[in-house]
Each structure stands twice: as structure tokens, then as C-alpha cells.
Amino acid sequence: MGIWSTYEAYPPQKLDNVIRGKSDGGQPLFVCELGKAHRGLLPILTHSDDPVADDVLSMALAGERHIYYLDSDGLEYSEPFWWWDNYSGGGYNTVQRVKEIAAVLAKLDLETIVFQSEYHQYAVFYTQCLQSLSEFYQRAAKEECAVWVSFG
């Protein structure tokens, strides 16, 4: 059991439709699936079990905003990721945030970060997950994509 995380890249003009669950959001351009690894990656990157406010690495995993629901007028109710313990729904990162995340991840020595964490016994697994996430964000930044983060 557990919550699986999926990161999907979309053209920014399609993200609103994806958030609102409309079929014209289309298919993601590319995807990164981390399974349950997001729960271990968060403390590796942030030294916290919960997302840290205004932390780019927290946003890489959880999204900068979480969508609670849409009202009948289609207005979204969202907030920073204090929803993390609910283990449901989705969040998103704008193109600008994706570029910030990609820049930060590109500067990190991912293998060293994992080896220095409390999860060092799973170093190969978590390093591969971080590399996949970093490559995903590098590509999303290069292609000027927004990112939908889903948990389910």
C-alpha cells in the first residue's frame, strides 16, 4: 500500500485544463514516475519529513501549489503544500518554478546527498530516482513545460 507519485510535463497553456480535469488537457508530453520514492526523497533533499515552505526542492516533489477542489464557477482552491499528509490529489509547478527546480537539481551531487542521508543503505535506488527526477525537470525546463504532480 501507499501513495504513488507521478510527474507529468505539459505545455503551460494546457495545464489549466489538466488542473480542471478537462479532456482537452491532452496527454502529457513526458512523464516521470517515482512510485513511493517521494516519501524517502523528501528527507534526503530537505532534511524534513514534510514539505518545507518556500523550498524549491520540496516543490520539486510536492508541487508549488496543491489543488483541493474547483467550485461550480471553475475557481480553484489551492494553497501551498500543507496537504502532504492527506496523500491525495495533485499539485503543480509553473514554467518559472520548473526552471528554478531544474537549476537547483543540476547543481547537486545527487549520489553524495543520498550517501550522506539516513537512507544511505538504499543509495543506488534513491540515486536513480533523483537522477530520473532531475532529468525530467531538466527536460521540462528546456521545453518550457509546466508540471502536474499527482498522488494517488
Side-chain angles (χ1 to χ4, degrees):
M1 282 310 264
I3 300 303
W4 291 74
S5 60
T6 304
Y7 302 82
E8 301 175 339
Y10 288 92
Q13 64 272 23
K14 297 282 188 178
L15 183 62
D16 189 58
N17 290 337
V18 172
I19 290 169
R20 296 177 192 300
K22 296 180 180 178
S23 61
D24 55 353
Q27 294 296 314
L29 299 174
F30 48 95
V31 175
C32 175
E33 293 183 3
L34 292 182
K36 301 176 191 178
H38 65 282
R39 292 301 288 176
L41 292 176
L42 188 67
I44 289 170
L45 292 174
T46 67
H47 306 289
S48 174
D49 289 332
D50 294 307
V52 178
D54 299 320
D55 179 77
V56 172
L57 294 174
S58 290
M59 292 176 203
L61 291 167
E64 67 182 278
R65 305 292 288 180
H66 176 70
I67 307 303
Y68 280 110
Y69 63 93
L70 302 172
D71 69 12
S72 60
D73 295 323
L75 300 174
E76 74 182 55
Y77 289 84
S78 64
E79 67 176 50
F81 39 63
W82 306 117
W83 56 270
W84 183 260
D85 288 331
N86 293 333
Y87 295 112
S88 64
Y92 63 89
N93 286 310
T94 61
V95 173
Q96 183 58 37
R97 184 69 68 195
V98 166
K99 290 179 180 182
E100 291 174 35
I101 292 167
V104 170
L105 287 171
K107 293 177 185 176
L108 297 178
D109 180 346
L110 302 176
E111 190 172 350
T112 299
I113 290 170
V114 174
F115 274 106
Q116 292 176 345
S117 76
E118 64 184 277
Y119 296 92
H120 58 86
Q121 66 272 30
Y122 306 109
V124 172
F125 171 72
Y126 281 120
T127 299
Q128 289 172 345
C129 290
L130 278 176
Q131 287 171 337
S132 294
L133 187 68
S134 180
E135 290 168 6
F136 170 84
Y137 274 106
Q138 301 309 314
R139 181 176 175 193
K142 182 178 179 183
E143 296 185 24
E144 303 224 350
C145 295
V147 171
W148 175 249
V149 181
S150 63
F151 297 92

